């Protein structure tokens, strides 16, 4: 009882300032999430605070993508990291901002592909490719091709992704397969439904992180997040780095996951 109270209190304090060398063995000692999903929010506000255009915030956010990818990979046991990079609702943004966001995969190839290959990371995309500009699809294709044989962590960019769209698409495909006699209506259960989602071959996210103080899911993996631990921080995405990522993992390790049981 006393230990649990102590754990609870410690869990609400900020993480001790460990130097980098200490974080890894410390976290590897506890349970690590297999899949971490991140809503990278606050790029615009980060830029505004500095009197910069919103694009500067997205550019700075790319550095956080790099730092968090390295941190997740360095923990060695995280199988997948999914980053919400462009939602189906983001098309409502000004054209120049959309164009800039669509150019980021090409930029990321220039700056990070070599390191990702070296780290044995597989890059994938989650979302509807059809509405993306061809140069963005080509860049993603290059990433996927160059890292297809890698066997390490999956780095998943959710681009033009929306959970409701994904669920509707899955439902349509299931209806087609029932109609064509491939399976029966009664075969449809949670396991089968999972197989029709874009995340079919990934573990469910154990941890979902959202930056910038917003506490919403925003149409991100709503089916998959059913039992995930949620971690919110006021830190804006461009200020979110290795230390903040490790703090989130440390907090995850202090949670007791019961999946509805006592
Ligand atoms: C939300 O902040 C952020 C995004 C919509 C885009 C995030 C994308 C990246 C950081 C880069 C992704 C990298 C690749 C390679 C695809 P916001 O603009 O909504 O911030 P605000 O809420 O402060 O306005």
């Amino acid at each position: 009882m006393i230990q649990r109270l102590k754990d609870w209190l410690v869990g609400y304090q900020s993480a001790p300032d460990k130097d980098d060398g200490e974080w890894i063995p410390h976290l590897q000692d506890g349970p690590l999430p297999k899949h971490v999903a991140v809503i990278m929010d606050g790029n615009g506000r980060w830029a505004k605070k500095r009197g910069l255009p919103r694009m500067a915030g997205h550019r700075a956010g790319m550095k956080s993508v790099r730092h968090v990818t390295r941190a997740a990979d360095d923990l060695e046991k995280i199988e997948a990291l999914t980053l919400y990079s462009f939602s189906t609702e983001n098309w409502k943004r000004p054209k120049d901002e959309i164009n800039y966001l669509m150019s980021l995969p090409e930029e990321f190839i220039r700056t990070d592909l070599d390191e990702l290959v070296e780290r044995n990371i597989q890059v994938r995309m989650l979302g509807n490719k059809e509405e993306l500009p061809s140069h963005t699809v080509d860049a993603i294709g290059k990433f996927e091709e160059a890292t297809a044989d890698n066997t390490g962590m999956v780095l998943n960019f959710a681009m033009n992704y929306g959970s409701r769209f994904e669920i509707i698409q899955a439902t349509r495909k299931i209806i087609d397969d029932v109609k064509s006699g491939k399976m029966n209506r009664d075969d449809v259960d949670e396991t089968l439904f999972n197989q029709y989602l874009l995340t079919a071959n990934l573990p469910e996210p154990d941890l979902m992180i959202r930056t910038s103080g917003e506490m919403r899911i925003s149409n991100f993996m709503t089916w998959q997040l059913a039992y995930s631990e949620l971690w919110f921080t006021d830190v804006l995405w461009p200020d979110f780095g290795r230390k903040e990522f490790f703090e989130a993992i440390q907090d995850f390790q202090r949670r007791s996951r019961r999946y509805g049981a006592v």
Side-chain angles (χ1 to χ4, degrees), residues 64-233:
S64 300
V65 168
R66 182 179 307 136
H67 292 145
V68 167
T69 303
R70 282 181 185 155
D73 187 47
D74 287 347
L75 288 173
E76 290 173 350
K77 287 198 191 101
I78 295 181
E79 294 174 22
L81 174 68
T82 298
L83 305 176
Y84 203 8
S85 309
F86 192 89
S87 76
T88 44
E89 287 71 36
N90 287 156
W91 295 108
K92 294 178 205 147
R93 294 190 174 210
K95 234 190 158 48
D96 57 345
E97 185 176 346
I98 294 177
N99 290 342
Y100 186 70
L101 287 167
M102 291 298 150
S103 74
L104 293 181
E106 283 149 290
E107 163 132 18
F108 200 54
I109 284 200
R110 270 196 301 279
T111 53
D112 289 66
L113 181 61
D114 290 348
E115 180 175 343
L116 295 172
V117 171
E118 211 171 284
R119 282 179 175 266
N120 194 26
I121 290 175
Q122 296 171 59
V123 181
R124 293 194 205 155
M125 191 206 131
L126 191 73
N128 181 7
K129 280 188 186 166
E130 276 165 31
E131 289 154 359
L132 296 176
S134 57
H135 63 94
T136 310
V137 177
D138 288 351
I140 293 162
K142 270 188 206 148
F143 259 125
E144 288 178 330
E145 207 184 301
T147 63
D149 294 331
N150 290 356
T151 52
M153 187 178 81
V154 172
L155 173 62
N156 220 357
F157 288 103
M159 279 206 90
N160 197 23
Y161 173 84
S163 197
R164 289 183 175 179
F165 171 82
E166 178 189 31
I167 290 171
I168 286 172
Q169 289 297 99
T171 309
R172 286 183 182 154
K173 277 191 226 152
I174 290 173
I175 292 172
D176 288 347
D177 286 351
V178 170
K179 270 189 178 166
S180 70
K182 214 167 144 186
M183 62 188 188
N184 295 315
R185 174 188 170 280
D186 291 347
D187 294 334
V188 182
D189 60 8
E190 288 184 19
T191 312
L192 183 127
F193 200 84
N194 266 323
Q195 293 310 309
Y196 281 80
L197 293 172
L198 298 168
T199 47
N201 36 27
L202 292 172
E204 280 179 15
D206 306 289
L207 172 66
M208 195 284 290
I209 298 173
R210 182 170 189 155
T211 59
S212 90
E214 308 293 345
M215 296 195 195
R216 290 186 291 278
I217 302 298
S218 302
N219 202 15
F220 183 50
M221 300 179 110
T222 47
W223 168 280
Q224 296 89 337
L225 292 175
Y227 286 103
S228 308
E229 295 296 326
L230 308 179
W231 195 78
F232 298 100
T233 174

Side-chain angles (χ1 to χ4, degrees), residues 40-45 54 58 62 85 90 93 104 108:
M40 311 182 285
D41 199 6
N43 294 351
R45 276 164 283 167
R54 294 178 57 80
H58 297 313
M62 294 274 280
S85 309
N90 287 156
R93 294 190 174 210
L104 293 181
F108 200 54

